[in-house]
Amino acid sequence: KNQVEQSPQSLIILEGKNCTLQCNYTVSPFSNLRWYKQDTGRGPVSLTIMTFSENTKSNGRYTATLDADTKQSSLHITASQLSDSASYICVVSATNSGYALNFGKGTSLLVTP
Amino acid sequence: DAGVIQSPRHEVTEMGQEVTLRCKPISGHNSLFWYRQTMMRGLELLIYFNNNVPIDDSGMPEDRFSAKMPNASFSTLKIQPSEPRDSAVYFCASSLNGQGAGGYTFGSGTRLTVV
C-alpha cells in the first residue's frame, strides 16, 4: 500500500531559527514528490517538486532534499519567519497513477516571536 | 486569474439537511478534483472529473454524496442527508489534463460543520 508518513506531527520554533521536516514514503514506482504549504483557512500551495534524479531543490528559504534509495525527503526552512506558520504537506506520485496523489497528514509548524 | 473559487467558505447545517458545495475551476483547466480534509485522515480524494466526465468516484464515501460537473466552469458536491461525521474542510482543485503530480491549484475550501 502506498503510504506517506510525516514527522513531527507539530513543531514550535522561535522566529529566526531553522527547522527540518521529514517525509518517508513507500510509494512505488516513484514519480515525484511535492511539498505543499497550507496556511490556515487556505488551500495547499506547492513549494517544490522533485523527481527521481533530483537530490536538492530550493525555493527561497525553503530547501527540499530527496533520497530515492531510502525513500525519504526533508524540507528545511532557514531563518524562519512568522509567516512560515502553516501546515506542510508531503505529496508523492507514482508513475502508474496518473492523477492520483498520496498525501501525508502534514506537519503543523508554529513560529513564535 | 482568480484561481479556483469555492463557495460558501463556511457552512453550518443541521443533521439531515442537504448541503451543496460549489466550485469554479481555473479557466482552461479540464480536470477537476474534490477533496475532503480532516485532522484524522488528512486530504482524501473524493472524485475526479476530466472534461466534465466523472473518471474516478471511488473515494465518495456513501450514496449520500454526489457530484456533478454540468460544464467546464462549474461543479457541485452535494451531501444529502448530511451527518455530523461529514464535518470537514472540502477542497476543490483543478489542473490541466489530470496532472496530479504537478499542476494542481486548490481553492480555499469550504469548512462544513454538521450539528
Side-chain angles (χ1 to χ4, degrees), chain B residues 81-108:
Chain B
S82 59
E83 296 183 2
R85 60 194 168 116
D86 301 330
S87 297
V89 181
Y90 291 81
F91 287 101
C92 176
S94 71
S95 71
L96 189 60
N97 296 327
Q99 294 207 2
Y104 271 30
T105 299
F106 283 85
S108 294

Side-chain angles (χ1 to χ4, degrees), chain A residues 32 34 36 38 41-44 49 89 93 99 101 103 105, chain B residues 9 35 37 40 48 56 91 98 100-102 104 106-108:
Chain A
N32 61 68
R34 274 187 180 266
Y36 280 84
Q38 184 176 17
R42 311 295 296 181
I49 179 171
I89 303 172
S93 298
Y99 58 89
L101 302 179
F103 290 86
K105 292 183 181 179
Chain B
R9 289 297 311 276
Y35 279 89
Q37 186 178 40
M40 289 294 294
Y48 159 51
D56 181 358
F91 287 101
Y104 271 30
F106 283 85
S108 294

Side-chain angles (χ1 to χ4, degrees), chain A residues 19-38:
Chain A
C19 68
T20 300
L21 315 180
Q22 300 289 345
C23 174
N24 296 339
Y25 61 91
T26 61
V27 178
S28 182
F30 176 83
S31 175
N32 61 68
L33 183 149
R34 274 187 180 266
W35 283 93
Y36 280 84
K37 179 186 180 188
Q38 184 176 17

